[in-house]
C-alpha cells in the first residue's frame, strides 16, 4: 500500500489459507508524522538522532502505556502458557484485529507485545499472536501499545488509544541498526505530546 499519510507496506498472502466464505486479510497501517490525527487523540511525537545529530530514518518506535487505569481490558480467566485464545472482561472500548497490547500482572509488564489476530464469535473472546510464552492470571491487564517508524527527517508520531486518565505513563522503545534506547515519560491525555530528541 502507498499513501502520503502512511508508511509504505507490502504483505504476502497465502490464498490457499484464506477462508473461502470470508477471504479477508487484516493489515495494520503505520501513520506518518503528517497524518491528521484528531484534536482529542493522545499522540506522542519524537525526533530521533544519531550521535552526530543526523536524523535517523526507519527507526522502529514502540510506545507502551504503563498506567493501569488505561487498560483496554482484563483477563476474565487464567491464560495458559502456550495458549492464544483469551477471554476478556471490563472492556473500556472496542478491541479490533491488529490492535497490540502488553499484558501486565501484579508483578510486571510483559516484554512481549501481543497482536489481536482473530475473533472467536463471542465478542469478548480473542486470539492473540504470538502464543503466550508464560501464563497469566485472571485480572491481568491489557495495556495499549502503538508502533511506527521514523520518516526521512527522523520524526515519529504514534497515537495511543484508550488513555482514560489526565496523565499517562508511557515507555518509548527505539531500535535502529542494532542499537536501542528507551525513554519513560508522563504524557497528557487527549493532546499531542513531544518527547524531545532521542539519540541512539
Amino acid at each position: 500500500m502507498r499513501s502520503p499519510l502512511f508508511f509504505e507496506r507490502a504483505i504476502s498472502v497465502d490464498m490457499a489459507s484464506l477462508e473461502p466464505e470470508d477471504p479477508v486479510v487484516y493489515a495494520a497501517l503505520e501513520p506518518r508524522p503528517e497524518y491528521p490525527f484528531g484534536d482529542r487523540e493522545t499522540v506522542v511525537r519524537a525526533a530521533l538522532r544519531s550521535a552526530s545529530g543526523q536524523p535517523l530514518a526507519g527507526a522502529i518506535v514502540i510506545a507502551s502505556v504503563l498506567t493501569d487505569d488505561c487498560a483496554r481490558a482484563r483477563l476474565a480467566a487464567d491464560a495458559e502458557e502456550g495458549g492464544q485464545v483469551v477471554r476478556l472482561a471490563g472492556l473500556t472500548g472496542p478491541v479490533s484485529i491488529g490492535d497490540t497490547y502488553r499484558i501486565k500482572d501484579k508483578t510486571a509488564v510483559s516484554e512481549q507485545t501481543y497482536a489481536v489476530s482473530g475473533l472467536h464469535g463471542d465478542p469478548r473472546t480473542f486470539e492473540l499472536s504470538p502464543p503466550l510464552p508464560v501464563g497469566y492470571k485472571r485480572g491481568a491487564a491489557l495495556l495499549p501499545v502503538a508502533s511506527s517508524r521514523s520518516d526521512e527527517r527522523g520524526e515519529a508520531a504514534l497515537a495511543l488509544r484508550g488513555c482514560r486518565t489526565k496523565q499517562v505513563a508511557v515507555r518509548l522503545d527505539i531500535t535502529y541498526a542494532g542499537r536501542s534506547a528507551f525513554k519513560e515519560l508522563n504524557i497528557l491525555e487527549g493532546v499531542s505530546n513531544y518527547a524531545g530528541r532521542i539519540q541512539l
Side-chain angles (χ1 to χ4, degrees):
M1 179 195 144
R2 292 182 179 176
S3 165
L5 299 179
F6 295 94
F7 287 104
E8 184 174 331
R9 181 173 183 187
I11 60 173
S12 299
V13 178
D14 180 3
M15 301 299 291
S17 67
L18 297 179
E19 293 288 340
E21 311 225 340
D22 186 28
V24 176
V25 175
Y26 294 88
L29 301 179
E30 297 176 336
R32 294 177 60 87
E34 300 86 356
Y35 183 85
F37 296 105
D39 292 339
R40 294 176 176 268
E41 287 196 71
T42 304
V43 179
V44 181
R45 297 182 179 275
L48 308 180
R49 299 290 184 266
S50 68
S52 61
Q54 296 301 307
L56 296 179
I60 303 301
V61 186
I62 298 175
S64 304
V65 171
L66 303 178
T67 302
D68 274 6
D69 288 342
C70 294
R72 176 63 74 178
R74 294 182 181 273
L75 296 182
D78 292 354
E80 296 182 359
E81 178 182 344
Q84 287 185 265
V85 177
V86 296
R87 182 170 173 76
L88 303 180
L91 274 72
T92 60
V95 174
S96 306
I97 291 177
D99 288 354
T100 53
Y101 300 94
R102 292 189 193 272
I103 300 178
K104 182 178 183 180
D105 58 19
K106 292 181 179 179
T107 58
V109 179
S110 64
E111 290 295 324
Q112 177 69 54
T113 59
Y114 302 97
V116 177
S117 55
L119 310 177
H120 278 257
D122 179 339
R124 295 178 181 275
T125 304
F126 302 89
E127 181 178 303
L128 301 181
S129 181
L132 304 178
V134 296
Y136 293 98
K137 295 293 185 181
R138 177 177 178 268
L142 270 69
L143 296 174
V145 174
S147 61
S148 191
R149 289 174 268 168
S150 57
D151 66 7
E152 58 279 358
R153 300 167 301 166
E155 305 292 321
L158 305 96
L160 288 164
R161 296 170 55 198
C163 298
R164 298 181 297 117
T165 59
K166 290 294 184 183
Q167 288 198 334
V168 184
V170 171
R171 173 177 167 129
L172 294 181
D173 287 280
I174 305 100
T175 56
Y176 179 82
R179 304 194 298 275
S180 63
F182 76 91
K183 184 173 185 177
E184 292 189 357
L185 59 156
N186 289 315
I187 65 172
L188 297 177
E189 179 268 340
V191 299
S192 184
N193 299 266
Y194 185 53
R197 289 192 173 194
I198 301 175
Q199 189 177 87
L200 278 80

